[in-house]
Amino acid sequence: MQDFLYHSRRKALSYSLQALLRYSAWQIARRQSKSPPKIQLPAVANPQTPEDFRPLQAECFQNPFDFYRVIRDEHPVYQLPNGIFCISRFEDIVSVSRDTDNYSSSHQGIIAGLRSGASVEKAGAKMEKIAEMGVIPSDVLALSDPPKHTSERKVGHKGLNARFVKGLESEVETLCKTMMDEFIDSGRVEFMQQFGWKLPMVLIIKLLGFPEEDFEDIKGWCVHGISTQSGISTTSELMYSRSQMMVFMRYCWQQYLLAKKKPRSDLSRIFVDAATDPQNPMTDAVAVSGIMQLLLAGSDSSATSMGNALKMLIDNPNIAEEIRSDIDGNLPPFIEEVFRLEAAFQGHFRWTKNDCELHGVKLPKNSRIFLMWASGNRDERVFDNPEKIDLQRHNGKKHLTFGHGIHACIGRELARTEIRIVLKEFLLRTRHMRIDGEAPFLASMFARTLITLPVVFEPANTTPAGEKLI
């Protein structure tokens, strides 16, 4: 009876809040459509200061690395126009990541869209109450602090440890080859839509025991989830995306309750077991949130890294040829360079639990912080010739792409495995790859995601004898 009442209230509140958010998003968009369009300042021809780069305008996100270098060198703690402080140097990022007493990982779902000056703590407390009702995701795994995080991470590791990932290799290879068979003879693929987004998401859906036919819906919800972290979404866009996340949360609840009713051997079972273990503090609502986080992070980060990796191979045919000469030896260090140079997530958010100071800049309690993994990855204080692809780099795995400290990504070995298998197949089965059209990046502080990557190629089996694959 208690469960029935909980889920009845959960669903009623979820539908009500979703309707309210969608209506508010429509009203705001309607008002904005009647207002004069906002005038964006033109880009500066030779930017010298951080402001010259127009850091929150779309064009900056196509190649933000000069902006990162300027703030890293001259403004290591830089406040964006939206009030968020950017931490850009490698050692500073590492230091903040380790300092969980002063810098919190919680409430990341609201940090990007919070108005300047608002209290993260107060807004987060309101969200926590709604999360406890199972309507929105709880702060879990990457979004929680010790000691809560410690027990949650143990649960996640049960499902994504190195031994488990190693056992998946043949399944990933089969899926990759099957998907490539669908387009290989045509000599053309829109990589992001036909392959990049699809492979890792189909895999994680299967591992969780969710219906594979729900792929398109889950993909759409994940896109909305990532957009809430962009830092540049309009209020109406943010409200609509959050309304879609409520739909996603209801879906994850539905699948979780099915797994709870009929136990099975998949990743969902691990969360069910944890939530039903009286010795484990994990609740059903937290377990559902953990599953949702696996779908969000697992799909986007792998898809983004695959696309960025393939683009880097196409843009650097000499590197592609070097890798082909010794695929098993050269491909793994190349993948680490992809992670370093084109981090799928450009950074993650934090907020200050106490008054802090860094490089003489005061960070009052409740300041919003953005740890810039992608900037730290190109910090010349740590990496020699940081802009160069170096397959012999001695500290290539030192990059921050999978985070640092207690929040280092638990799915990193799965991501490495997926990308290695995919790139190997493309290198072996294609030649003369080139980009045929536009390959723009999503405008976002958070994600470094290619929107499209149209690739044309020749199938490798048509290579004349003795001709090199390039």
Side-chain angles (χ1 to χ4, degrees):
M1 185 62 180
Q2 189 175 4
D3 279 352
F4 174 78
L5 290 174
Y6 174 83
H7 291 299
S8 296
R9 286 194 296 266
R10 171 180 63 79
K11 291 177 183 178
L13 184 57
S14 177
Y15 280 109
S16 297
L17 288 177
Q18 179 198 349
L20 179 61
L21 283 169
R22 290 191 65 171
Y23 178 73
S24 298
W26 175 77
Q27 283 279 50
I28 292 170
R30 186 165 171 263
R31 285 199 301 268
Q32 289 174 339
S33 68
K34 296 180 179 180
S35 303
K38 289 184 179 180
I39 298 174
Q40 288 195 327
L41 295 172
V44 176
N46 295 297
Q48 302 295 320
T49 69
E51 292 76 19
D52 290 341
F53 287 93
R54 313 288 188 243
L56 295 180
Q57 290 186 192
E59 61 267 22
C60 183
F61 296 111
Q62 300 309 307
N63 187 3
F65 303 115
D66 284 340
F67 167 66
Y68 293 175
R69 176 182 49 76
V70 168
I71 63 170
R72 191 168 59 238
D73 290 346
E74 302 173 21
H75 307 274
V77 182
Y78 177 72
Q79 190 171 23
L80 290 166
N82 60 11
I84 296 172
F85 289 94
C86 292
I87 311 297
S88 53
R89 290 184 184 173
F90 185 98
E91 294 300 339
D92 293 334
I93 295 168
V94 167
S95 176
V96 170
S97 296
R98 291 174 176 170
D99 187 359
T100 57
D101 290 333
N102 287 307
Y103 298 92
S104 175
S105 298
S106 64
H107 310 324
Q108 290 199 35
I110 63 170
I111 289 177
L114 204 63
R115 62 179 175 81
S116 185
S119 168
V120 180
E121 197 169 21
K122 289 180 180 179
K126 292 178 182 177
M127 294 298 104
E128 280 179 6
K129 291 179 181 178
I130 302 176
E132 288 171 3
M133 299 175 189
V135 177
I136 60 175
S138 299
D139 289 331
V140 62
L141 294 171
L143 313 184
S144 63
D145 296 330
K148 181 173 176 282
H149 172 268
T150 307
S151 61
E152 293 170 353
R153 191 172 178 87
K154 288 179 181 178
V155 174
H157 264 300
K158 285 183 181 179
L160 291 172
N161 56 62
R163 187 182 194 179
F164 174 79
V165 172
K166 182 69 176 174
L168 286 176
E169 289 205 18
S170 61
E171 188 171 350
V172 178
E173 286 175 358
T174 299
L175 180 59
C176 178
K177 289 176 181 178
T178 301
M179 289 176 61
M180 286 191 72
D181 287 344
E182 295 177 3
F183 62 78
I184 193 72
D185 291 336
S186 71
R188 177 181 296 273
V189 62
E190 200 302 284
F191 182 82
M192 294 309 296
Q193 299 302 318
Q194 290 179 249
F195 196 97
W197 269 96
K198 194 172 182 181
L199 184 144
M201 190 168 286
V202 167
L203 183 65
I204 193 65
I205 287 171
K206 187 175 181 180
L207 292 177
L208 285 166
F210 286 16
E212 293 182 36
E213 60 268 24
D214 293 344
F215 160 74
E216 288 292 346
D217 287 335
I218 295 173
K219 174 190 169 185
W221 291 322
C222 287
V223 169
H224 279 293
I226 297 300
S227 72
T228 65
Q229 302 293 290
S230 74
I232 64 166
S233 296
T234 65
T235 303
S236 61
E237 290 169 342
L238 198 57
M239 285 185 172
Y240 183 77
S241 288
R242 285 176 174 167
S243 76
Q244 289 302 296
M245 293 305 289
M246 290 184 176
V247 183
F248 192 16
M249 188 71 176
R250 291 198 300 270
Y251 172 83
C252 289
W253 263 112
Q254 180 188 45
Q255 296 302 321
Y256 173 81
L257 292 174
L258 287 174
K260 190 175 180 180
K261 185 177 181 179
K262 295 182 179 179
R264 56 199 191 217
S265 298
D266 53 36
L267 288 183
S268 294
R269 173 67 180 271
I270 292 171
F271 286 93
V272 169
D273 287 348
T276 54
D277 180 358
Q279 303 302 314
N280 194 308
M282 182 172 281
T283 64
D284 283 339
V286 172
V288 172
S289 300
I291 289 171
M292 179 188 279
Q293 193 174 122
L294 287 184
L295 287 165
L296 281 163
S299 60
D300 188 82
S301 59
S302 290
T304 296
S305 293
M306 283 180 196
N308 292 342
L310 192 63
K311 185 175 186 297
M312 283 175 63
L313 283 177
I314 295 170
D315 290 342
N316 298 275
N318 57 321
I319 296 291
E321 183 64 22
E322 185 177 354
I323 294 170
R324 280 194 179 100
S325 69
D326 180 10
I327 286 186
D328 292 334
N330 289 333
L331 189 53
F334 172 73
I335 291 170
E336 299 306 320
E337 287 291 83
V338 173
F339 289 145
R340 186 182 65 81
L341 289 166
E342 290 285 3
F345 295 142
Q346 297 288 278
H348 276 84
F349 294 102
R350 300 287 190 272
W351 59 279
T352 53
K353 295 191 281 187
N354 305 294
D355 291 341
C356 300
E357 186 174 324
L358 191 61
H359 291 288
V361 177
K362 295 187 182 302
L363 303 171
K365 181 179 179 180
N366 275 298
S367 293
R368 295 175 296 157
I369 307 294
F370 188 58
L371 298 183
M372 303 178 75
W373 312 132
S375 175
N377 285 347
R378 294 180 181 236
D379 192 340
E380 60 280 358
R381 299 159 188 80
V382 177
F383 301 101
D384 296 332
N385 298 314
E387 308 298 322
K388 178 185 175 184
I389 301 171
D390 184 355
L391 302 185
Q392 281 74 48
R393 190 175 295 280
H394 70 91
N395 59 351
K397 277 195 172 185
K398 194 176 180 178
H399 60 76
L400 298 166
T401 292
F402 294 114
H404 184 82
I406 65 169
H407 287 105
C409 177
I410 61 174
R412 59 188 179 275
E413 293 310 318
L414 179 57
R416 285 186 169 107
T417 297
E418 290 173 335
I419 294 162
R420 172 174 52 79
I421 290 170
V422 167
L423 291 185
K424 185 173 182 177
E425 287 299 310
F426 266 84
L427 286 166
L428 290 175
R429 299 182 67 179
T430 70
R431 65 174 186 147
H432 301 311
M433 284 189 291
R434 63 183 176 85
I435 298 172
D436 184 33
E438 297 296 318
F441 287 92
L442 183 73
S444 172
M445 281 180 61
F446 180 60
R448 178 74 172 161
T449 302
L450 284 162
I451 299 172
T452 57
L453 182 62
V455 178
V456 294
F457 55 85
E458 294 176 20
N461 58 10
T462 64
T463 306
E467 183 178 334
K468 288 185 177 181
L469 298 176
I470 58 174

